[in-house]
């Protein structure tokens, strides 16, 4: 949660600005800003993808206007209001740049021809010497489906490299795999507009108020109808502030609470036995597995008072319709998949999944987080949520693309593993699009070393991100409203982004850049696109018959219906807002339940590092802040990170608000301002993660990953906080509790390229 | 026709300042924000409070009453406008007179500035920017009947300052007097029927509110 501005500028005695500070100028000084046209589109930021109009005059985007779209009803958060200011931002990259003097040189202006020729000649040379897999693509999920699809196809068809992955790995991969394992389909099973139908909401590790402000209006609609709200979170977030029950959990121990709630639901006889018998498999194992989780045991593990767990279980269990919403708090974990499965078990035991307004709902973080993982840019996936390991699905896509199936690469490294392959010299060159690894990946120092070993490192972005600063070639891309296409929001609703302005300077749409590279690599025949629409039509057909079937979703239908929910298998199909109403996605139509044992986070506090450090968002910034830190209004509200610390802990250490303190973990240390507030557990520290360089919390976080999906554990590691006057002890191993290390964890990095997966692991991905 | 006005419910405010950002998009103040969001006491809570002009009705808006040059005009539907630039002499009487602390004096422009309920938008049946974007609908625009049909909470438009009361066009929303959920009973039940025997319960961690 943020603070008043006097925290950042101690001399100011008020919190109020007539005008936004800093750039870009809002344009009011020059003109009255009367729009000629209103272009209907959506916000470029989080997974909610609010509808908005852009005000356009003389081909320039001059402002924003509310758009009454079904899921945001005209509302916008502050990020959405000022999103348009990116369009003519002075920091925009307007021409390609090359580091001609090698790694120590400066980035200099270049022509597109020079940049493209350089990239392609280097790639050909590298691939001839080291094999096709030595060139990798690291993509992102804040792009349209069309761009994401082209990225996947580019890596596999033009580069013929197995190493393609995307930043959704760091975001949603836990819940994606949990849903695929439990339900057979990875999608939130119900639309946001269903939330008011519920009688009890359980928010687990999701700060809806700050990360998805627009979802709050649906939460409040439910509250107005009398629904109860339970929040499980180590911090008293604005959502928890108004909840009926707040369960302040130790970071990384949510499974204990959820399992204990399920046990209490069983004890109280609130289980829907008929539903479990008819619609699920594996209930008996789950029932046995939660038996040891008495409220007292859960209190011991999680720090939540036992009474509250029991009260929460009854409040949840007695509600006729109940909805669990979960987010990054439980997913950014070395057992993220299990935590999501524990939530699913609880909802299934109450017979909720498939009911209008009931069940579980993952709150996807990135703009196109849902679409980005379905259209084939994930290491193990092909378009339509097809799996690269399944022979029939491989064959289908190879035939569709017109390449021999043996030419289609196999699964490559996941995003965090690519860093290690770069460090080991297996990946010689990497194309990074729509990602800012230098802020987003844990252990920034290691990431920097790895990226510096990659030559050439090519970054496509529209602002010079912390990662682009290290690049050998920087290619200017476009912001969202300079291109058209579709995205899939957190409900699975496919929506349409429209073009409102032309790309500035020499910048080009990302898909044109990649198409051009493919042509120069001699694979142009597979990328004959002249417009985003052609890519969409190809993607629709590629996904046909897959789990995420987009075939029936035409751009016209999106406009007519206010978005279309996949699966939509035929042109006359209206789409599927609610899933699992009658059957689940597995062949037998039943949901699978998995017994979930308690697993601690990989690193827990010890004598030298007595706190748990967790990280998260503030409402003013989006992901690595490369966009929002450049927008004056947003940046002035939260220009730098801070560490939240409880008054009891602060008093013990003699720390006061506004004081600059040092936070240290076994990896690194950083200095930042302390905010002493009672809205956090006394054993927990919180730092927002949107900042770069010396302000990046990911200097400190633990690079341990979930063994299956490789999502890093951003939300829990051991740390200590000290006054600057304390002697600067070097960050080092010290006394921490290591539960789980790269050495003793199964299938952790370093990743063996070409490894044969063991059957259970393979099953977890094959759906 | 029922009168549309603004309803302010601080309990729903999440402190996102979307209202401040959106207020800058309004034609009537051209890039300047007339709404304020403040943490009530960040050292205690994450509670935040949006402040907008309350558009006092009875007695007549104090800011307009004290204006020596009649620069603050009131529309027939009760919207108290900001100072007319051609009349305002920059005396700041209004700043000191306002019981809610709303008018701000822009030193550079030598002009009092405050919310005029997005008159350019509301006159065209659009919502004011702040209520239009508010993600939680803590700022809500519409008429009283609609509000009480849809929402929890008591909407009041009478504020008492000592012995003097001010009736305003804008409503503040107070929480329901009886909470929907008897939490104490639920926790008592959890203690009584808990698995462990009565009397040897560990105390809740002292810091849990």
């Amino acid at each position: 949660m943020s603070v008043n501005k006097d925290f950042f500028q101690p001399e100011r005695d008020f919190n109020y600005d007539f005008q936004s500070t800093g750039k870009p100028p809002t344009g009011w000084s020059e003109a009255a800003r009367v729009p000629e046209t209103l272009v209907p589109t959506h916000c470029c930021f989080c997974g909610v993808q609010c509808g908005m109009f852009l005000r356009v005059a003389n081909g320039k985007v001059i402002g924003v206007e509310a758009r009454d779209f079904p899921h945001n009803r005209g509302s916008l958060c502050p990020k959405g209001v000022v999103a348009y200011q990116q369009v003519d931002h002075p920091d925009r990259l307007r021409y390609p740049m090359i580091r001609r003097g090698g790694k120590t040189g400066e980035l200099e202006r270049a022509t597109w021809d020079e940049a493209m020729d350089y990239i392609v000649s280097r790639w050909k040379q590298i691939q001839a010497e080291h094999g096709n897999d030595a060139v990798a693509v690291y993509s992102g999920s804040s792009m349209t489906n069309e761009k994401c699809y082209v990225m996947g196809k580019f890596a596999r068809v033009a580069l013929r490299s197995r190493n393609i992955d995307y930043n959704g790995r760091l975001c949603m991969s836990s819940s994606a795999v949990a849903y695929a394992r439990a339900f057979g389909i990875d999608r939130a099973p119900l639309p946001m507009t269903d939330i008011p139908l519920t009688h009890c909401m359980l928010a687990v590790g999701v700060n809806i108020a700050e990360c998805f402000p627009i979802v709050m209006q649906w939460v409040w609609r439910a509250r107005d109808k009398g629904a109860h709200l339970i929040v499980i979170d180590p911090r008293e977030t604005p959502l928890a502030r108004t909840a009926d029950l707040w369960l302040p959990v130790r970071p990384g121990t949510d499974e204990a609470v959820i399992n204990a709630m399920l046990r209490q639901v069983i004890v109280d006889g609130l289980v829907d036995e008929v539903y479990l018998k008819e619609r699920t498999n594996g209930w008996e194992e789950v029932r046995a597995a939660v038996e040891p989780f008495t409220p007292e045991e859960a209190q011991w593990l999680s720090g939540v008072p036992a009474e509250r767990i029991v009260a929460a279980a009854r409040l949840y269990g007695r509600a006729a319709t109940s909805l669990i919403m979960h987010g990054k708090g439980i997913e950014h974990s070395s057992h993220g998949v299990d935590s999501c499965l524990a939530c699913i078990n609880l909802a299934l035991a109450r017979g909720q999944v498939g009911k209008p307004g009931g069940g579980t709902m993952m709150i996807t973080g990135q703009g196109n987080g849902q679409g980005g993982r379905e259209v084939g840019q994930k290491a193990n996936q092909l378009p339509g949520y097809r799996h690269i390991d399944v022979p029939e699905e491989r064959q289908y896509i190879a035939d569709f693309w017109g390449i021999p199936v043996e030419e289609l690469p196999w699964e490559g490294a996941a995003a965090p593993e690519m860093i290690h392959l770069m460090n080991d010299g297996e990946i010689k060159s990497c194309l990074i699009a729509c990602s800012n690894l230098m802020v987003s990946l844990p252990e920034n120092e290691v990431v920097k070393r790895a990226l510096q070993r990659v030559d050439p490192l090519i970054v496509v972005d529209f602002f010079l991100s912390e990662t682009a600063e290290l690049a050998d070639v920087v290619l200017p891309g476009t912001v969202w409203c300079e291109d058209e296409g579709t995205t899939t929001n957190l409900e699975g609703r496919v929506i349409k982004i429209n073009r409102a302005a032309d790309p500035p300077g020499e910048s080009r749409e990302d898909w044109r850049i990649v198409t051009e590279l493919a042509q120069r690599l001699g694979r142009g025949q597979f990328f004959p696109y002249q417009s985003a629409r052609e890519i969409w039509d190809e993607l629709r057909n590629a996904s046909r018959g897959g789990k995420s079937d987009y075939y029936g979703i035409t751009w016209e239908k999106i406009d007519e219906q206010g978005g279309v929910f996949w699966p939509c298998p035929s042109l006359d199909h209206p789409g599927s807002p609610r899933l699992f109403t009658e059957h689940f996605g597995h062949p037998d139509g039943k949901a699978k339940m998995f017994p979930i044992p308690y697993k601690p986070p990989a690193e827990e506090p010890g004598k030298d590092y007595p706190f748990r450090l967790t990280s998260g968002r503030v409402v003013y910034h989006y992901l690595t802040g490369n966009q929002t830190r450049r927008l004056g209004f947003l940046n002035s509200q939260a220009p730098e990170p801070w560490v939240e610390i409880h008054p009891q802990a602060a008093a013990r250490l003699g720390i006061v608000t506004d004081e600059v303190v040092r936070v240290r973990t076994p990896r690194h240390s950083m200095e930042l301002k302390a905010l002493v507030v009672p809205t956090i557990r006394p054993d927990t520290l919180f730092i927002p993660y949107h900042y770069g360089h010396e302000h990046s919390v990911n200097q400190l976080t633990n690079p341990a990953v979930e063994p299956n999906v490789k999502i890093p554990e951003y939300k829990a590691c051991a740390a200590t906080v000290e006054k600057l006057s304390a002697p600067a002890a070097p960050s080092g191993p010290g006394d921490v509790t290591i539960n789980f290390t790269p050495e003793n964890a199964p299938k952790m990095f370093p990743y063996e390229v070409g490894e044969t997966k063991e059957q259970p692991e393979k099953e977890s991905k094959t759906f | 026709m029922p009168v549309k006005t603004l309803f302010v419910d601080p309990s729903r405010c999440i402190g996102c300042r979307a209202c401040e950002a959106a207020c800058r998009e309004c034609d009537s103040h051209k890039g300047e924000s007339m709404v304020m969001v403040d943490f009530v006491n960040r050292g205690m809570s994450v509670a935040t409070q949006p402040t907008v002009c309350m558009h006092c009705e009875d007695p007549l808006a104090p800011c307009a009453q004290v204006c020596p040059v009649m620069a603050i005009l009131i529309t027939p539907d009760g919207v108290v406008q900001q100072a007319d630039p051609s009349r305002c002499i920059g005396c700041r009487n209004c700043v000191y007179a306002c019981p809610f602390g709303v008018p701000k004096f822009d030193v550079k422009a030598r002009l009092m500035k405050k919310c005029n309920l997005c008159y350019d938008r509301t006159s065209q049946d659009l919502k004011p920017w702040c209520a239009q974007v508010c993600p939680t609908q803590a700022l809500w625009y519409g008429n009283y009947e609609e509000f009480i049909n849809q929402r929890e909470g008591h909407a009041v438009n009478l504020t008492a300052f000592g012995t003097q009361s001010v009736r305003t066009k804008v409503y503040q929303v107070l929480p329901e007097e009886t909470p929907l959920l008897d939490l104490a009973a639920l926790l008592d039940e959890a203690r009584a029927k808990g698995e462990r025997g009565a009397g040897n319960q560990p105390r809740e961690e002292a810091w849990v509110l």
Side-chain angles (χ1 to χ4, degrees):
Chain A
M1 191 64 198
S2 199
V3 277
N4 282 336
K5 282 181 180 170
D6 57 359
F7 180 74
F8 305 106
Q9 300 157 284
E11 72 279 8
R12 69 186 286 157
D13 59 352
F14 58 94
N15 187 50
Y16 173 65
D17 286 311
F18 274 131
Q19 281 176 309
S20 66
T21 43
K23 53 188 183 177
T26 51
W28 285 110
S29 51
E30 295 140 42
R33 303 212 304 181
V34 180
E36 291 164 356
T37 43
L38 292 178
V39 176
T41 188
H42 292 262
C43 178
C44 58
F45 293 121
C46 80
V48 180
Q49 297 282 291
C50 298
M52 56 159 58
F53 286 110
L54 288 173
R55 296 150 71 104
V56 179
N58 301 322
K60 279 195 178 304
V61 175
I62 57 165
V64 64
E65 183 56 66
R67 178 183 179 197
D68 192 4
F69 202 74
H71 67 262
N72 71 310
R73 301 285 177 94
S75 296
L76 292 171
C77 79
K79 298 186 287 287
V81 173
V82 301
Y84 77 90
Q85 293 174 6
Q86 297 172 81
V87 182
D88 286 314
H89 197 287
D91 290 358
R92 285 289 299 276
L93 300 175
R94 287 158 203 272
Y95 45 79
M97 289 187 285
I98 295 188
R99 209 179 285 279
R100 292 198 181 87
K103 287 284 179 193
T104 52
E106 295 286 311
L107 280 171
E108 296 163 28
R109 180 167 185 165
T111 63
W112 275 103
D113 269 335
E114 184 190 356
M116 294 276 186
D117 283 343
Y118 175 70
I119 295 167
V120 169
S121 64
R122 289 284 291 134
W123 276 355
K124 283 184 173 163
Q125 186 191 349
I126 289 168
Q127 290 196 321
E129 283 174 28
H130 303 282
N132 288 345
D133 299 338
V135 177
V137 176
Y138 190 115
S139 185
S141 247
S142 297
M143 305 192 289
T144 58
N145 286 322
E146 288 79 357
K147 291 175 183 175
C148 294
Y149 170 77
V150 170
M151 284 291 171
K153 186 175 176 186
F154 173 76
R156 284 160 182 149
V157 177
L159 285 173
R160 286 174 270 190
S161 167
R162 69 193 301 166
N163 287 322
I164 161 124
D165 206 40
Y166 77 126
N167 62 12
R169 223 17 117 167
L170 320 175
C171 179
M172 288 310 293
S173 49
S174 293
S175 49
V177 167
Y179 277 52
R181 287 173 75 177
F183 301 143
I185 292 179
D186 157 29
R187 205 203 88 184
L190 69 175
M192 261 182 263
T193 46
D194 262 14
I195 294 175
L197 302 176
T198 192
H199 299 111
C200 180
M201 293 169 282
L202 172 62
V204 190
V206 58
N207 182 1
I208 295 177
E210 285 199 89
C211 309
F212 313 94
I214 301 303
V215 180
M216 281 302 282
Q217 61 178 298
W218 299 104
V219 171
W220 276 112
R221 272 172 221 252
R223 297 283 272 156
D224 280 334
K225 290 180 164 184
H228 297 304
L229 174 64
I230 308 164
V231 175
I232 304 183
D233 202 303
R235 294 189 301 147
E236 190 193 342
T237 60
L239 179 71
R241 177 174 73 85
T242 59
D244 290 310
L245 262 179
W246 171 42
L247 275 52
V249 65
R250 278 191 198 112
T253 64
D254 311 71
E255 284 170 356
V257 180
I258 302 287
N259 278 346
M261 283 178 69
L262 178 52
R263 181 182 179 278
Q264 190 63 38
V265 165
I266 297 170
V267 168
D268 289 348
L270 298 167
V271 171
D272 188 340
E273 296 284 358
V274 179
Y275 179 96
L276 285 167
K277 194 154 176 284
E278 286 175 1
R279 300 205 54 189
T280 68
N281 291 317
W283 165 238
E284 288 310 318
E285 291 80 0
V286 171
R287 183 201 289 270
V290 299
E291 185 47 38
F293 290 89
T294 60
E296 292 72 24
E297 176 70 11
Q299 171 176 321
W300 171 253
L301 292 171
S302 70
V304 181
E307 290 85 355
R308 289 204 182 194
I309 298 175
V310 175
R314 292 190 174 142
L315 201 54
Y316 173 83
R318 289 170 187 172
T321 307
S322 52
L323 179 64
I324 302 178
M325 295 182 276
H326 58 88
K328 265 27 96 220
I330 60 170
E331 291 160 18
H332 280 164
S333 161
S334 57
H335 47 267
V337 178
D338 282 359
S339 305
C340 298
L341 286 170
C343 293
I344 290 171
N345 285 345
L346 181 57
L348 286 172
R350 284 283 304 131
Q352 295 295 331
V353 183
K355 256 190 199 178
T360 59
M361 187 173 184
M362 59 172 127
I363 311 283
T364 297
Q366 266 201 94
N368 193 21
Q370 180 72 46
R373 63 182 187 257
E374 299 159 3
V375 296
Q377 60 171 347
K378 197 173 176 181
N380 57 355
Q381 270 166 14
L382 293 171
Y385 229 111
R386 288 188 170 82
H387 200 279
I388 206 160
D389 278 354
V390 177
E392 311 82 71
E393 304 199 332
R394 265 177 87 75
Q395 187 71 48
Y396 178 88
I397 292 296
D399 292 348
F400 181 79
W401 283 343
I403 58 170
V405 70
E406 51 278 6
E407 256 187 39
L408 187 65
W410 293 87
E411 176 179 351
E417 294 164 335
M418 278 197 199
I419 296 306
H420 297 270
L421 292 187
M422 290 173 189
N423 227 345
D424 298 346
E426 296 209 25
I427 291 177
K428 301 282 181 196
S429 176
C430 186
L431 172 76
I432 297 175
C434 185
S435 277
N436 190 2
L437 288 60
M438 279 301 294
V439 179
S440 62
L441 283 171
E443 265 200 312
N444 293 156
E445 276 304 305
V446 176
V447 177
K448 185 171 184 180
R449 257 199 327 270
L451 292 180
Q452 280 170 336
R453 297 200 57 175
V454 172
D455 190 12
L457 177 69
I458 302 134
V459 174
V460 184
D461 213 326
F462 43 83
F463 292 125
L464 195 71
S465 67
E466 283 76 3
T467 308
E469 286 167 14
L470 299 176
D472 301 294
V473 184
V474 177
L475 302 176
T478 50
V479 299
W480 92 113
C481 62
E482 290 158 1
D483 194 8
E484 60 178 347
T486 61
T487 63
T488 309
N489 80 347
L490 59 81
E491 311 160 288
R493 190 196 300 261
V494 181
I495 48 140
K496 175 82 196 316
I497 306 284
N498 287 312
R499 184 179 177 123
D502 291 330
E506 297 171 23
S507 60
R508 294 181 186 174
E509 299 90 333
D510 309 56
W511 61 266
R512 279 193 208 276
I513 296 172
V514 172
T515 305
E516 167 93 21
L517 281 170
Q519 272 157 11
R520 288 173 188 250
L521 285 164
R523 306 286 277 181
Q525 70 272 31
F526 299 103
F527 299 85
Y529 315 120
Q530 296 304 314
S531 67
R533 171 116 204 184
E534 289 174 27
I535 306 173
W536 176 247
D537 286 334
E538 184 178 316
L539 165 56
R540 277 174 45 221
N541 281 296
S543 72
R544 191 171 190 178
K547 288 270 188 209
S548 67
D549 194 334
Y550 284 23
Y551 176 69
I553 307 177
T554 59
W555 282 3
E556 290 74 22
K557 196 189 278 187
I558 295 173
D559 287 341
E560 281 160 24
Q561 293 186 197
V564 183
F565 292 82
W566 69 260
C568 180
S570 65
L571 291 172
D572 54 2
H573 193 288
S576 319
R578 289 189 190 119
L579 295 179
F580 317 138
T581 47
E582 279 151 34
H583 51 84
F584 291 95
H586 290 302
D588 63 357
K590 289 186 174 186
K592 285 187 195 160
M593 297 178 87
F594 297 86
I596 303 300
Y598 171 75
K599 286 198 204 87
E603 185 180 274
E604 290 197 291
K607 191 163 56 63
D608 294 337
Y609 297 96
F611 290 93
R612 283 172 197 252
L613 171 66
T614 188
S615 66
R617 290 191 196 180
V618 295
V619 67
Y620 307 111
H621 290 300
Y622 175 62
L623 304 185
T624 66
N626 189 31
Q627 292 159 281
T628 50
R629 276 185 279 130
R630 294 171 203 272
L631 301 176
F633 177 79
L634 299 175
N635 198 47
S636 71
Q637 309 292 347
E640 61 185 45
W642 58 88
V643 55
E644 287 179 18
I645 177 169
H646 191 274
Q648 287 174 0
R652 210 164 54 234
L653 298 163
I655 290 170
V656 295
T657 290
D658 267 344
E659 180 180 349
V660 177
V661 295
R662 190 185 304 121
V663 178
R664 211 150 45 79
T665 70
R667 289 153 291 281
H668 211 276
S669 71
M670 69 189 284
E671 291 174 8
L672 70 179
K673 275 191 175 179
L675 177 66
V676 179
V677 281
T679 53
I680 187 168
R681 288 181 58 89
D683 57 1
T684 302
L685 305 172
F686 169 85
I687 301 177
Y689 67 51
H690 310 281
Y691 305 89
H693 299 307
E694 77 277 12
H695 286 147
S696 168
V697 69
N698 283 331
Q699 300 172 95
L700 310 181
T701 45
N702 189 357
V705 296
E706 212 278 353
N708 256 321
V709 301
K710 322 282 181 188
I711 196 168
E713 189 153 65
Y714 295 108
K715 289 292 187 273
C717 71
T720 185
V721 58
E722 57 203 12
K723 290 177 84 76
L724 285 189
S725 55
S731 284
D735 180 19
V736 290
T737 312
I738 307 283
N739 295 317
F740 192 31
T741 65
E743 289 71 37
N744 67 21
K747 301 290 173 198
M748 191 81 73
F749 49 74
Y751 185 81
E752 258 179 80
V753 176
E755 84 180 308
T756 326
K757 288 193 181 56
E758 288 172 11
Q759 202 54 35
E761 197 180 348
K762 202 166 168 177
E763 272 169 9
S764 74
K765 294 187 173 186
T766 312
F767 29 76
Chain B
M1 189 185 135
V3 182
K4 286 190 176 178
T5 183
L6 208 54
F7 292 77
V8 185
D9 185 349
S11 71
R12 296 190 180 194
C13 181
I14 54 172
C16 75
R17 301 194 168 103
C19 48
E20 283 190 28
C23 194
R24 286 159 214 261
E25 297 301 313
C26 177
D27 276 320
S28 52
H29 285 98
K30 295 194 169 28
E32 295 175 345
S33 174
M34 300 293 135
V35 53
M36 297 155 253
V37 176
D38 289 284
F39 281 88
V40 177
N41 181 353
R42 186 65 183 93
M44 288 305 293
S45 157
V46 294
T48 45
Q49 157 83 46
T51 305
V52 292
C53 176
M54 299 297 288
H55 297 282
C56 303
E57 282 182 337
D58 183 28
L60 181 73
C63 57
Q65 278 188 42
V66 298
C67 181
V69 293
M70 289 181 70
I72 300 171
L73 304 174
I74 300 172
T75 64
D77 47 349
V79 176
V80 183
Q81 301 278 341
Q82 83 162 15
D84 182 338
S86 64
R87 294 188 186 184
C88 180
I89 56 170
C91 71
R92 306 187 208 186
N93 271 1
C94 52
V95 176
Y96 301 121
C98 176
F100 299 101
V102 167
K104 296 289 172 207
F105 187 71
D106 185 342
V107 180
K108 258 204 216 144
R110 296 195 57 76
L111 180 66
M112 177 277 256
K113 292 182 172 175
K114 70 171 229 11
C115 155
N116 55 12
L117 213 58
C118 283
Y119 207 68
D120 60 324
R121 291 175 67 82
T122 47
S123 58
Q124 294 178 40
D125 212 27
L126 293 169
K127 293 178 189 172
W129 260 120
C130 57
Q132 174 66 66
V133 297
C134 182
T136 60
Q137 300 292 293
L139 291 164
W140 188 91
Y141 186 75
N143 66 53
Y144 183 82
E145 286 71 24
E146 267 182 289
F147 183 87
I148 55 171
N149 277 334
Q150 289 177 16
R151 300 253 306 230
E152 291 284 309
H154 290 297
V156 294
N157 66 344
L158 195 70
T159 311
F161 297 92
T163 54
Q164 191 170 12
S165 298
V166 182
R167 194 158 52 78
T168 55
K169 182 177 170 71
V170 174
Y171 284 78
Q172 289 277 357
V173 183
L174 306 179
E176 295 285 337
E177 271 134 34
T178 323
L180 275 168
L181 177 69
D182 190 347
L183 193 60
L186 194 68
L187 287 170
D188 280 346
E189 185 195 359
R191 286 187 195 102
K193 292 192 198 158
E195 303 268 310
R196 72 190 103 79
N200 61 349
Q201 300 152 3
R203 286 180 51 210
E204 283 188 10
E205 288 170 60
W207 66 278
V208 176
L209 298 170

